Amino acid sequence: EAHEREVYWRRWDDIQRATNRTLDVVLVDGAVAGYLDVEDEGEFVALNNIRVAPSMQGRGIGGALVRRVIALAAPKPVQLRVYRVNPARRLYERLGFRVVEETPTHYVMRREAD
């Protein structure tokens, strides 16, 4: 938990300083459903973080958000990191992402532009 908090606040500081990064709150029927943290890295668009509230999961919201990022990023590829134990990896694979790098804790996944 301490590590997650440190990473969160470090990312928050980075987001506030960045001009090529957006943090979008996602609303569904007026309720906060989650958020997206996206950054244009020049060569590719980084999906730094995507969160869907537990009460909103299982409705296809996460997939729709990732597809939107892919569409808006075109013609650039989209890249993300996912914890090795995170079942969201299957969603990313269904959406065309492939593992391009591995760390002890994460997979770096990339989806080339159509």
Side-chain angles (χ1 to χ4, degrees), residues 15-90:
I15 291 167
Q16 289 182 346
R17 286 190 298 273
T19 58
N20 59 336
R21 194 167 185 173
T22 60
L23 181 65
D24 293 313
V25 174
V26 178
L27 301 175
V28 174
D29 296 328
V32 175
Y35 69 88
L36 281 173
D37 173 3
V38 179
E39 184 172 10
D40 188 336
E41 294 283 356
E43 174 190 334
F44 62 90
V45 172
L47 177 50
N48 291 325
N49 208 332
I50 179 172
R51 300 288 174 150
V52 176
S55 63
M56 298 285 186
Q57 292 175 1
R59 298 181 184 187
I61 295 168
L65 293 173
V66 175
R67 284 189 293 278
R68 180 159 172 79
V69 170
I70 292 166
L72 292 173
K76 295 182 181 183
V78 177
Q79 188 165 301
L80 57 83
R81 289 170 30 106
V82 61
Y83 279 112
R84 293 173 77 96
V85 297
N86 189 333
R89 177 182 172 195
R90 291 188 302 274

Side-chain angles (χ1 to χ4, degrees), residues 83-85 102-107:
Y83 279 112
R84 293 173 77 96
V85 297
E102 295 182 30
T103 73
T105 57
H106 288 82
Y107 293 112

Side-chain angles (χ1 to χ4, degrees), residues 92-101 108-111:
Y92 302 139
E93 288 172 337
R94 284 193 307 271
L95 295 174
F97 286 83
R98 299 291 168 249
V99 174
V100 295
E101 184 182 335
V108 177
M109 301 183 79
R110 188 176 181 113
R111 185 189 190 281

